[in-house]
Amino acid sequence: MNIQSPGRGPRFSSQAVGWSAVFGSAFCFYLATLIIRWAKPHVTIESAYFVFARLLLGFIVVSVVLILQKKSLHPKNYHYLIGRALANTLAVFCFYKAVESGSVAEANILNMTYPLFVAIFSWIFLRGQRDRLSLVIVAVAFAGVWLVLSPGEIQLGWGKLWGLSSGITAAVAVIYLNISRRCHDSQTILFFMFGLGTLLMLVFFHDAIFMPNPEELFFLLSCSIAGVLGQYLITYGFLYVTAVEGSIISSSRILLAALLGPILVADPHLALAGWCGALLIFAANATLALRRA
């Protein structure tokens, strides 16, 4: 006898699609960093060029979608759009610099500290969202960050500092996104984010940008496709999953990086302290997501 409710099948199906899309986005963001590391022995491309290529491809994709859908832009509060574009561009730049100068696993783990910084910035600037228990959770998570940074080593390393900076700037980008979504649609936000980001990288890092040969173009395009696809997958996935589910699945990138780094890019294995730190950050992200719910 089938006791399944009539609506359960389609609901589970759409939820499964959402889970798959969000997990796929986490894998795509991780894949982009793998491609940067795989490119190192073969070509000489600065991280700024990878950022520029990703933003340029994103701008082209958004522009084509707008044309095909015959939609127009509706910008209202330009300072929100500009703030989102600046913070996102800086976050991606710091993230790719972390991959270039350090461990892929540590770069991804430290980049995923952004929910912790969102909680801190919300406490400071948004009085209505102050939650003492969230601060306790953040304090525990920063113990995890401390373990990942391994401060007992002789040198802290630029890779770890870039990774932590990417988490801080990504938190600012997420806050700007949250504010911008109140008065702008997704395509308007993405158009300005990719467009202004491309212009900023061209102005400040034009010396790093050149006409690539076929091999260089392959790595630039592969990394860019992975990054832009991740952006669209996470946007699509969140239509079918709750914010809690999406946040927890997105944080799986921490575990992906820790597990696959030594296998795929010959990263050094995380020490026991590093594993404990990664798990603390993952658990804190999941708990914060549940608290927001």
Side-chain angles (χ1 to χ4, degrees):
M1 180 179 178
N2 185 7
I3 59 173
Q4 183 181 11
S5 63
R8 187 175 174 184
R11 165 60 188 157
F12 177 77
S13 176
S14 62
Q15 189 181 55
V17 168
W19 287 349
S20 301
V22 176
F23 181 77
S25 74
F27 182 78
C28 284
F29 290 138
Y30 178 57
L31 178 61
T33 62
L34 291 178
I35 292 170
I36 293 173
R37 182 53 57 84
W38 287 334
K40 249 187 166 182
H42 305 284
V43 295
T44 303
I45 302 175
E46 293 185 26
S47 53
Y49 199 176
F50 279 110
V51 178
F52 171 78
R54 170 174 167 171
L55 294 170
L56 178 60
L57 179 63
F59 180 71
I60 293 171
V61 170
V62 172
S63 299
V64 170
V65 170
L66 286 169
I67 292 170
L68 292 176
Q69 293 181 344
K70 298 180 179 178
K71 287 187 175 180
S72 57
L73 298 174
H74 301 286
K76 296 176 183 177
N77 294 304
Y78 283 95
H79 55 292
Y80 292 156
L81 295 169
I82 294 171
R84 165 67 176 166
L86 287 171
N88 179 79
T89 302
L90 188 55
V92 177
F93 176 74
C94 291
F95 184 31
Y96 283 7
K97 285 293 289 185
V99 175
E100 180 187 84
S101 53
S103 158
V104 174
E106 288 175 344
N108 278 275
I109 292 169
L110 292 172
N111 176 254
M112 285 305 300
T113 59
Y114 75 84
L116 313 180
F117 291 105
V118 169
I120 293 173
F121 295 152
S122 297
W123 172 274
I124 296 172
F125 298 110
L126 304 174
R127 293 184 179 181
Q129 295 187 22
R130 289 183 175 177
D131 180 1
R132 293 184 185 277
L133 183 56
S134 292
L135 282 188
V136 175
I137 296 168
V138 169
V140 172
F142 271 102
V145 174
W146 187 257
L147 291 171
V148 172
L149 291 176
S150 303
E153 295 179 357
I154 296 175
Q155 291 183 341
L156 186 59
W158 277 107
K160 295 176 181 179
L161 294 176
W162 280 117
L164 194 58
S165 298
S166 75
I168 295 171
T169 49
V172 177
V174 168
I175 291 172
Y176 266 112
L177 174 61
N178 182 263
I179 297 171
S180 296
R181 284 290 294 160
R182 299 173 187 174
C183 50
H184 299 107
D185 61 88
S186 297
Q187 294 298 333
T188 298
I189 295 171
L190 289 173
F191 181 87
F192 277 86
M193 184 187 80
F194 286 129
L196 287 177
T198 301
L199 185 60
L200 285 169
M201 296 305 298
L202 187 60
V203 169
F204 289 102
F205 296 99
H206 57 273
D207 291 339
I209 299 168
F210 53 87
M211 184 62 70
N213 61 36
E215 188 175 25
E216 292 162 341
L217 181 62
F218 169 77
F219 285 112
L220 285 168
L221 194 57
S222 300
C223 180
S224 301
I225 290 172
V228 174
L229 182 59
Q231 190 78 51
Y232 272 89
L233 279 173
I234 197 169
T235 303
Y236 177 77
F238 267 81
L239 292 173
Y240 299 102
V241 301
T242 65
V244 174
E245 293 168 340
S247 298
I248 293 173
I249 296 171
S250 295
S251 294
S252 66
R253 181 153 54 97
I254 294 172
L255 305 180
L256 271 177
L259 286 169
L260 299 180
I263 300 170
L264 298 178
V265 288
D267 267 351
H269 289 273
L270 283 182
L272 178 60
W275 266 107
C276 290
L279 291 173
L280 279 175
I281 295 169
F282 175 79
N285 285 353
T287 307
L288 284 172
L290 290 168
R291 292 285 298 169
R292 286 196 296 270

